[in-house]
Structure formats: C-alpha cells, structure tokens
Amino acid sequence: MTADPTLLLGVLAVLALAVVVLLVHAVRAPMGRRTVDRFARRQHLVVDTANGGHVVRALALVLRWRRLGLVTGFAVAALVSVTRGELTVDFVAMFLGWFAGAVVAEWLVAGLPVGTGPRRATLRARSLGTYVTTLDRVLLSAVLGLTAAVAAVAFVGAVATGRAGTWAVWVVGTLVAAAALAVTARRVVRRPQPTDDASLLAADDALRAHSLTVLCGCAIAASGVPLGRLTDLAAGVLPEGAWSGGVSDGVGALTLVVCVALGWFVADRSASVRAGGAADPAAVPAPATPRGVA
C-alpha cells in the first residue's frame, strides 16, 4: 500500500524537528559531576585544580560526540524507514552511530592540549598493553580471531551459494572499521606527554587508559554485526536445508547481543590497568567542581 504523501510529509517534518531537538541537546547538555567522579574512581585518579580542567574538557568532548553519533544513527535509520512508508527504530544503526561518535571523540581527545608547557616524547616504550588490561586484550583477540575464522569459512560458503559479493562487502567494511580503530589507538598511544607536572601526567595517563579501553570495547561490540552476517554466509557449507532463515536470524541476533554485552563490559565496567598503581581518589578530599560541570 502506497503511503499518503501528505501524511508522509508530516511525519518527516515531525521527525526532523525531533532530530534537531535531540542534536541541540546532545551538543549543549551539561556533563554531570558524577561522570567525572566515576572516571576518577575507575582510573584511580585524584582530580585536582591542576588537572581538573583537562579532564573535564576531555570527558565533555567524549560525551558530546557519543551523543551526536547516537542521535545521527537514529535519525538516518528513521528517515530511511519513513521514505519506505514505515517508521521503525533501528537499534543497530543507533549503536553504530554511537560507535562512530566514540571513535571520533577519542581521536579528538588525543589532540587536546595538555597544560601550557611543551610536550615531550617519553623514552619508555608504550603499547596497547601499557594502558589496557590483559583480560580486555584477551577478549579483544578472541573476538577478532573468531571473526577471522568465520570469515574464512564464510568465503567457502559464499562461493558455494553465489554470494561472494556480499562476503566481500562485509569483509572490506570490517577491515576499514578495524583500520580506523587501529589508527585511532596508535594516535592515543603515541601522542606526546605533557610537561613533568605529576598531576597532569597522571591525568594524561588515565585518559589514555580510558580511551584505549573504550576503543577495545567498541571493537568487540562492533564485531557483532559482521560476525552475525558472516555466520549466515558460512552456513553455505552445510547441506541444503540444514540452516533455515529463522535459525540464521536467531544466530545473528544472539551474536550481536553477546558481542555488544562483552564490548559494553570492557568499555564501561572492566578494571583499569591503573588499579592499585595510584592513590585512591576516594581517600582524597573532593576538589572544587571545575567550570562546565553541573
């Protein structure tokens, strides 16, 4: 049934207004003090007057871009659905938008100026393992390894069922996303450190640990989308009729849920590599609220 053009135009207008309101809120909504406190507790960082401004700027930038990505994902998916005569909420698109916003945010945070003095390169070798726990790196390696193995089997299945083009699209898209994450992580690891101010150095170290842990979580969560699609293609190696469309959809949905849950755990709940290596902020009197924090 063809949708009424007038009704469709009205829905588009209301949706556009809602998107504008959400975008304005994403940009202008203040960041709560709880966000800074939670970051400090997780990263075992004492936020004081020397490093508070830098921490607040970095966290506000991250929050703003995550919100923008989430709203953009929702808006694009909703607009596409409306043009098809329906209105749906695509949570996968919203998640991918959040993921893209998080990556952009971490890239921008890596370029924020720290302090007023010159920055320097350290003689200590730094890598992902410097800022991310062994558990998080094992989970990341396991998911990436599983994705590569499924992609190899999926190639055989895709060729057998005549869907090699679909396989290529998902593999290329996955490699592009992985490259973007790897380049962003390298930027975070390699950026020069601030001056010898101990407070700023601690904040810089905590922000790197936070950024790289979030990027690991994003990689794990985002792997759920191609992994589910590649699993469906891999079923092409099974005998005809052994894998129905309903089973395929169920496996894809379950894969996405598991990867998103693991990614959320790594990004938001896993322990920091700094645990036990710095003063416990709970034992230090809370500093005055920095400017810009509600």
Side-chain angles (χ1 to χ4, degrees), residues 244-269:
S244 67
V247 173
S248 173
D249 293 340
V251 170
L254 179 61
T255 300
L256 179 61
V257 169
V258 171
C259 287
V260 169
L262 277 177
W264 169 80
F265 166 76
V266 169
D268 202 60
R269 287 292 184 268

Side-chain angles (χ1 to χ4, degrees), residues 27-44:
V27 173
R28 299 181 61 86
M31 181 181 66
R33 172 63 184 269
R34 290 177 58 187
T35 301
V36 179
D37 291 342
R38 186 169 177 272
F39 167 80
R41 285 194 300 270
R42 186 182 183 192
Q43 297 299 333
H44 297 261

